[in-house]
Amino acid sequence: MKNLIDIKSLSKEQILEILELAEKFENGTAVSSCQGSHVALIFCENSTRTSISFEMAANKLGIHVYNFDTNKSSLSKGESLKDTIENLYEIGIQGVVIRHSESGILDKTKKEVNCQIAFINAGDGNNAHPTQALLDFYTMRKHLGSVEGKKIAIIGDIRHSRVAHSNVDLLNKFGAKIYFCAPKYFEDATQEVIFTKSLEEALKDADVAMFLRIQNERLEDRIPLFDYIHDYGLTTKKLQQFAKKDVLIMHPGPVNRDVEMSSEILDGEYGKVILEQAHNGVFVRMAVLDLLLGKQ
Amino acid sequence: MKNLIDIKSLSKEQILEILELAEKFENGTAVSSCQGSHVALIFCENSTRTSISFEMAANKLGIHVYNFDTNKSSLSKGESLKDTIENLYEIGIQGVVIRHSESGILDKTKKEVNCQIAFINAGDGNNAHPTQALLDFYTMRKHLGSVEGKKIAIIGDIRHSRVAHSNVDLLNKFGAKIYFCAPKYFEDATQEVIFTKSLEEALKDADVAMFLRIQNERLEDRIPLFDYIHDYGLTTKKLQQFAKKDVLIMHPGPVNRDVEMSSEILDGEYGKVILEQAHNGVFVRMAVLDLLLGKQ
Amino acid sequence: MKNLIDIKSLSKEQILEILELAEKFENGTAVSSCQGSHVALIFCENSTRTSISFEMAANKLGIHVYNFDTNKSSLSKGESLKDTIENLYEIGIQGVVIRHSESGILDKTKKEVNCQIAFINAGDGNNAHPTQALLDFYTMRKHLGSVEGKKIAIIGDIRHSRVAHSNVDLLNKFGAKIYFCAPKYFEDATQEVIFTKSLEEALKDADVAMFLRIQNERLEDRIPLFDYIHDYGLTTKKLQQFAKKDVLIMHPGPVNRDVEMSSEILDGEYGKVILEQAHNGVFVRMAVLDLLLGKQ
């Protein structure tokens, strides 16, 4: 493993290796093998959870972090990402964590550059967000053990969601049964999943219900929000009526409160798993950084 | 002590405990008890002194600092401060240093969040700026010993000044005699102090004359600056005519040169105490961070 | 050596001392003498290479770096650089690395401040960029040994280039023969160099051909870009026709691809020296920081 660009490029063995190392970092039985490395965070889109989580993971591993200010960088003088990254490598940066609005930009740039820097995808357009899928998988396994044969419902803005795409890639590898649930304007027919007609159908017997954020910043047109909330917003009542009692409610965050789900759910017992996702992300990212930059 | 939200919530004993620990950090007889902690700086308003001072204090204690870029964060995606902070806590952040334009936002958010993160106020609206009051007190005590019965004149834009409000809360606890001196448009009649009619009256026998910055960014209307400087701007002449020779001239900075006081004063002997305030702030903030995050 | 403001103020001995220490840092025979120091990076203009390079150098030396956000600082409240820097010094900052659009601002501010902070110039207007000239010299010496009597051609936007000005100052001290090559609108007649009429004349027998970036952000008028590329843009053909085979092609970066030179050159064998410049910059800056802040 030299880069982490998407889930598709990983084997099941590689994914399990990441998760096992993450577990060791969480319970304190692994130590950093990349102390003193240098990693740049290049976030060309807004982020809190992902960027702070990578920075925390790096700090815990003893990695020096360079917060690249994209507005004040040579990128804003018109330099290409290729040239910027080749220079960063010469300066001593060993890995770049990139978030960018353009789908596929990491793959494209990786092919252009002529150096051994590690590329780590922190979300590119609506293409992939591999560390999110890995931390989601880590969270599911803690609660469910294996996901094989389990029903995972993914609900909401699937079309614009790199999180959904990376989760589908990962969960399909491990034999989960994935169900999509979305209005027409959020559908994505390109994925290998089972399509449902209603939230009721999606929630029925689901082991996991993963709600996705409406990404207002990616929408071309306004959506009928009132209808969306009525049809797809999770309330305590719908949860009790349609879902198993031990269903896992997940969300990559930030949640649009009282849109994807009610504040009552978010602040209650079911909402705790969503915070646990943020918590688990740090150990998964420690594992990724350590495998890419370290000596193990 | 779990948080530092305002001076009102602190007992005299707690204030003295902070100051004594600050003194130990200054003279090198205390060591950090919070090595390896993680603290986020969330500055939603401009700052140099306060933010760099907190970062320096954290570095000296071996704390990892996360400079939260509020413009690129999930806050700008519409996430509430409550949700952001709960996520930061899950990621591993143990304390948040917050500066915000909204008065009372720390108190409000503290009540909303469901986690044990430490809140540290770096200035909220015109409400409170407790570490500034603490470092001012630390500076006064160095020069005056006790402030009991001492005359402290606070001059200038009192109405918009969280610095003034926190200083009044603190100095009243310790028996100082506080005098306010301000034009009508900067008055604040809600505080328990003695009101003066002129700079002459304020300076007369004063042990401390604390000048406040005109906060142009908080003014609704333009002020008659020419008259203000004439009536309230400190010059060498006024100082010699009205004040005791050993009066302490203080200012939280940044000073509007030749507005609150002349450059001659600022760059001369009397101006040195203002730089000393910045110097002392680091030790006071080390003490606050160590008491909130450490094991002592 | 207390500051690094320009090359003019350095003696030949001081320059060689910097280069020798840089070499030791590169081959691992010197250790930091400024562990635990505190340095602020104040970049009022865009930068990647220079700012990340200084940050890398500082990290390798165990220096704490403070990335000063100029848009969120007291500078944007109207505070002068003098007052900001005096306060930073009181807070514990021992050195400031400054990039600024105003020529001569470091020299001016250094004279105004009343404290022992070290000033390090990371580029001021079109005046000076001393660490760039030092790393260029370091790179030339690696390839050429001494520069005495060597022909160094500097080509392109000389008028707006602090890089050119600092290189001339340095190379003249060490007896190089400097040739300028530029269209009228980029000429600079104030320097002690030999002026050439064409790229052919500049490249003929040149040991080094240093191409400069067209600094679109500093131009008052648009330039005839098509003609510029025709007359001054380097292509493989011109290189083969006019230059010695072992000429060193240099550029401070970022390169405007297919303007100053073709992508074919940049991505080929000749382009490697340009990345080597970025690589060498880190060791040169380690040496500068260590000499200014350390105990050696």
Side-chain angles (χ1 to χ4, degrees):
Chain A
M1 212 172 118
K2 299 275 188 196
N3 304 286
L4 178 61
I5 290 183
D6 54 31
I7 294 291
K8 282 197 186 84
S9 323
L10 296 178
S11 68
K12 282 175 71 170
E13 290 66 37
Q14 286 175 315
I15 291 171
L16 292 173
E17 190 188 0
I18 295 169
L19 262 59
E20 277 154 27
L21 184 56
E23 216 159 70
K24 284 184 190 162
F25 279 124
E26 183 167 12
N27 63 34
T29 58
V31 291
S32 171
S33 71
C34 51
Q35 197 87 25
S37 299
H38 301 272
V39 167
L41 304 187
I42 305 183
F43 277 72
C44 301
E45 291 190 317
N46 291 348
S47 171
T48 295
R49 254 155 283 259
T50 308
S51 70
I52 301 268
S53 178
F54 267 112
E55 194 170 346
M56 174 71 66
N59 278 336
K60 289 193 167 188
L61 293 167
I63 295 172
H64 297 289
V65 174
Y66 298 74
N67 270 305
F68 199 90
D69 187 339
T70 50
N71 296 320
K72 286 183 64 183
S73 76
S74 55
L75 291 173
S76 64
K77 287 187 194 173
E79 195 180 34
S80 69
L81 198 52
K82 164 191 153 63
D83 285 339
T84 297
I85 286 175
E86 285 185 343
N87 273 282
L88 290 179
Y89 181 73
E90 287 301 326
I91 289 168
I93 301 290
Q94 290 139 337
V96 279
V97 178
I98 299 176
R99 167 164 293 190
H100 202 284
S101 60
E102 189 182 325
S103 296
I105 190 150
L106 278 96
D107 205 36
K108 175 172 158 272
T109 309
K110 177 70 206 165
K111 281 168 188 150
E112 288 169 357
V113 302
N114 190 19
C115 67
Q116 296 304 312
I117 207 165
F119 280 72
I120 300 160
N121 191 349
D124 62 323
N126 52 28
N127 181 47
H129 192 349
T131 58
Q132 180 71 42
L134 288 164
L135 75 87
D136 288 341
F137 189 43
Y138 186 82
T139 306
M140 289 178 204
R141 273 167 49 108
K142 275 202 173 183
H143 288 268
L144 306 175
S146 164
V147 300
E148 192 166 352
K150 297 281 161 55
K151 175 172 177 179
I152 319 280
I154 300 182
I155 298 136
D157 182 358
I158 295 167
R159 186 177 295 176
H160 303 93
S161 176
R162 50 199 178 206
V163 175
H165 299 154
S166 284
N167 262 291
V168 168
D169 290 341
L170 193 153
L171 293 168
N172 268 335
K173 276 185 205 281
F174 287 88
K177 285 186 270 173
I178 310 171
Y179 291 71
F180 270 7
C181 176
K184 278 240 159 347
Y185 46 88
F186 282 161
E187 264 178 10
D188 181 351
T190 66
Q191 307 289 310
E192 277 180 64
V193 299
I194 301 157
F195 295 91
T196 65
K197 292 239 162 61
S198 66
L199 184 59
E200 176 171 359
E201 196 189 333
L203 289 179
K204 189 170 188 272
D205 299 322
D207 296 289
V208 175
M210 180 184 291
F211 289 80
L212 299 175
R213 193 174 163 270
I214 298 188
Q215 306 204 45
N216 298 302
E217 62 275 22
R218 286 185 212 287
L219 302 183
E220 306 84 38
D221 299 304
R222 290 181 58 190
I223 61 156
L225 195 62
F226 184 83
D227 293 345
Y228 182 86
I229 294 173
H230 181 272
D231 294 344
Y232 301 95
L234 187 67
T235 59
T236 306
K237 198 177 154 195
K238 290 184 201 172
L239 194 61
Q240 289 171 341
Q241 258 188 300
F242 304 142
K244 288 201 298 182
K245 212 171 173 179
D246 60 352
V247 63
L248 227 56
I249 303 297
M250 297 179 74
H251 191 297
V255 178
N256 293 306
R257 278 179 171 264
D258 300 311
V259 177
E260 291 107 44
M261 65 188 69
S262 68
S263 284
E264 192 182 34
I265 290 175
L266 193 56
D267 295 330
E269 205 53 41
Y270 284 100
K272 286 186 179 164
V273 179
I274 294 169
L275 289 171
E276 199 192 315
Q277 289 173 270
H279 182 79
N280 291 335
V282 176
F283 308 111
V284 167
R285 289 176 178 121
M286 286 175 79
V288 167
L289 290 170
D290 199 63
L291 286 166
L292 291 177
L293 302 171
K295 289 134 220 147
Q296 52 203 2
Chain B
M1 213 174 117
K2 300 276 188 198
N3 304 286
L4 179 60
I5 290 183
D6 54 32
I7 295 290
K8 282 197 187 84
S9 324
L10 297 178
S11 67
K12 283 176 69 170
E13 290 67 36
Q14 286 175 316
I15 291 171
L16 292 173
E17 189 187 2
I18 294 169
L19 261 59
E20 277 154 28
L21 184 55
E23 216 159 71
K24 285 184 188 162
F25 279 123
E26 183 166 13
N27 64 34
T29 57
V31 292
S32 171
S33 70
C34 51
Q35 198 87 25
S37 298
H38 302 272
V39 167
L41 305 187
I42 304 183
F43 277 72
C44 301
E45 291 191 317
N46 291 348
S47 171
T48 296
R49 254 155 281 258
T50 309
S51 69
I52 301 268
S53 178
F54 267 112
E55 194 169 346
M56 174 70 68
N59 278 336
K60 290 193 166 188
L61 293 168
I63 295 173
H64 297 289
V65 174
Y66 298 75
N67 270 305
F68 199 89
D69 187 339
T70 50
N71 296 321
K72 286 183 65 182
S73 75
S74 55
L75 290 173
S76 64
K77 288 186 193 172
E79 194 180 33
S80 69
L81 198 52
K82 164 192 154 62
D83 286 339
T84 296
I85 286 175
E86 286 184 344
N87 273 281
L88 291 178
Y89 181 73
E90 286 302 324
I91 290 167
I93 301 290
Q94 290 139 337
V96 280
V97 178
I98 299 175
R99 168 166 290 192
H100 202 285
S101 61
E102 189 182 326
S103 296
I105 190 150
L106 278 96
D107 204 37
K108 175 172 158 274
T109 309
K110 178 70 206 166
K111 282 168 187 152
E112 288 168 358
V113 303
N114 189 19
C115 68
Q116 296 304 313
I117 207 165
F119 281 71
I120 301 159
N121 192 349
D124 62 323
N126 53 28
N127 181 45
H129 191 350
T131 59
Q132 180 70 41
L134 288 164
L135 75 87
D136 289 340
F137 189 43
Y138 186 81
T139 306
M140 289 179 205
R141 274 167 48 110
K142 274 202 173 181
H143 288 268
L144 306 175
S146 165
V147 299
E148 192 165 353
K150 297 281 160 53
K151 175 173 177 180
I152 318 281
I154 301 182
I155 299 136
D157 182 358
I158 295 167
R159 187 177 294 175
H160 304 94
S161 176
R162 49 200 179 204
V163 175
H165 299 154
S166 283
N167 262 292
V168 169
D169 290 341
L170 193 152
L171 293 167
N172 268 335
K173 276 185 205 283
F174 287 87
K177 285 186 271 172
I178 310 171
Y179 292 71
F180 271 6
C181 176
K184 277 240 156 356
Y185 47 88
F186 282 160
E187 262 177 12
D188 181 352
T190 66
Q191 306 289 311
E192 277 180 63
V193 299
I194 301 156
F195 296 91
T196 64
K197 292 238 161 65
S198 67
L199 184 59
E200 177 172 358
E201 195 188 334
L203 289 178
K204 187 168 189 274
D205 298 323
D207 298 286
V208 175
M210 180 185 292
F211 289 79
L212 300 175
R213 193 174 162 270
I214 298 189
Q215 307 204 44
N216 298 301
E217 62 275 22
R218 286 185 211 286
L219 302 184
E220 306 84 36
D221 298 305
R222 290 181 58 190
I223 62 156
L225 195 61
F226 185 83
D227 294 344
Y228 182 84
I229 294 173
H230 182 271
D231 294 344
Y232 300 95
L234 186 67
T235 59
T236 305
K237 198 177 154 196
K238 290 185 201 171
L239 194 60
Q240 288 170 343
Q241 259 188 299
F242 304 141
K244 288 202 296 180
K245 210 168 176 183
D246 61 352
V247 63
L248 226 57
I249 303 296
M250 298 179 74
H251 192 297
V255 178
N256 294 305
R257 276 178 174 267
D258 300 311
V259 177
E260 291 107 45
M261 63 188 69
S262 68
S263 284
E264 193 181 34
I265 290 176
L266 193 56
D267 296 330
E269 205 53 42
Y270 284 101
K272 286 185 179 163
V273 179
I274 295 169
L275 290 171
E276 198 192 317
Q277 288 173 271
H279 183 79
N280 291 336
V282 176
F283 308 110
V284 167
R285 288 174 179 123
M286 286 176 79
V288 167
L289 290 170
D290 200 61
L291 287 166
L292 291 177
L293 301 171
K295 290 135 219 146
Q296 51 203 1
Chain C
M1 212 174 117
K2 300 275 189 197
N3 305 285
L4 179 59
I5 290 183
D6 54 32
I7 295 291
K8 281 197 187 85
S9 324
L10 297 178
S11 67
K12 283 176 70 169
E13 291 65 37
Q14 286 174 315
I15 291 170
L16 293 173
E17 188 188 3
I18 295 169
L19 262 60
E20 277 153 28
L21 184 55
E23 217 159 70
K24 286 184 189 162
F25 279 123
E26 183 167 14
N27 63 33
T29 57
V31 292
S32 170
S33 71
C34 51
Q35 198 87 25
S37 299
H38 302 272
V39 167
L41 304 187
I42 304 184
F43 277 71
C44 302
E45 290 190 317
N46 291 348
S47 170
T48 296
R49 255 154 281 260
T50 309
S51 70
I52 301 269
S53 178
F54 267 112
E55 194 169 346
M56 174 71 67
N59 277 336
K60 289 192 167 188
L61 293 168
I63 294 173
H64 297 289
V65 174
Y66 298 75
N67 269 305
F68 199 89
D69 186 339
T70 50
N71 296 320
K72 283 183 67 181
S73 76
S74 55
L75 290 172
S76 64
K77 288 188 194 172
E79 195 181 33
S80 69
L81 198 53
K82 164 192 153 63
D83 286 338
T84 296
I85 286 175
E86 286 186 342
N87 274 281
L88 291 178
Y89 181 73
E90 286 301 325
I91 290 167
I93 301 290
Q94 290 138 338
V96 279
V97 178
I98 299 176
R99 168 164 292 191
H100 201 285
S101 61
E102 189 182 325
S103 296
I105 189 150
L106 278 94
D107 205 37
K108 176 172 157 272
T109 309
K110 177 70 205 166
K111 281 168 190 153
E112 288 169 356
V113 302
N114 188 19
C115 67
Q116 295 306 312
I117 207 165
F119 280 73
I120 301 160
N121 192 349
D124 63 322
N126 53 27
N127 180 48
H129 191 350
T131 59
Q132 179 71 41
L134 288 164
L135 74 88
D136 289 340
F137 189 42
Y138 186 82
T139 306
M140 289 179 204
R141 274 167 49 108
K142 275 202 172 181
H143 288 268
L144 306 176
S146 165
V147 300
E148 192 165 353
K150 298 281 160 52
K151 175 173 177 180
I152 319 279
I154 300 182
I155 299 137
D157 182 359
I158 295 167
R159 185 177 297 175
H160 303 93
S161 177
R162 50 200 178 206
V163 175
H165 299 154
S166 284
N167 262 292
V168 169
D169 290 341
L170 193 152
L171 294 167
N172 268 335
K173 276 184 204 284
F174 287 87
K177 286 187 269 173
I178 310 171
Y179 291 72
F180 271 7
C181 177
K184 279 239 158 350
Y185 46 88
F186 282 160
E187 263 177 9
D188 181 352
T190 65
Q191 306 290 310
E192 276 180 66
V193 300
I194 302 156
F195 295 90
T196 65
K197 291 238 162 65
S198 67
L199 184 59
E200 177 172 358
E201 195 189 333
L203 288 179
K204 187 169 188 273
D205 299 323
D207 297 287
V208 175
M210 180 185 292
F211 290 81
L212 299 175
R213 193 174 162 271
I214 297 189
Q215 306 204 47
N216 298 301
E217 62 276 21
R218 286 185 213 286
L219 302 184
E220 305 83 36
D221 298 305
R222 290 180 57 188
I223 63 155
L225 195 61
F226 184 83
D227 294 344
Y228 182 84
I229 293 173
H230 181 271
D231 294 344
Y232 300 95
L234 187 67
T235 59
T236 305
K237 198 177 154 195
K238 291 184 200 171
L239 194 60
Q240 288 170 345
Q241 259 187 297
F242 304 142
K244 287 201 297 181
K245 211 170 175 181
D246 61 352
V247 63
L248 226 57
I249 304 296
M250 298 179 72
H251 192 297
V255 179
N256 293 306
R257 278 179 172 267
D258 300 311
V259 177
E260 291 107 45
M261 64 188 68
S262 68
S263 283
E264 193 182 34
I265 290 177
L266 192 56
D267 296 330
E269 205 53 41
Y270 284 101
K272 286 184 180 164
V273 180
I274 294 169
L275 289 171
E276 199 193 315
Q277 289 173 270
H279 182 79
N280 291 336
V282 176
F283 308 111
V284 168
R285 289 176 178 121
M286 285 175 79
V288 167
L289 289 171
D290 200 62
L291 287 166
L292 291 178
L293 301 170
K295 289 136 219 143
Q296 50 203 5

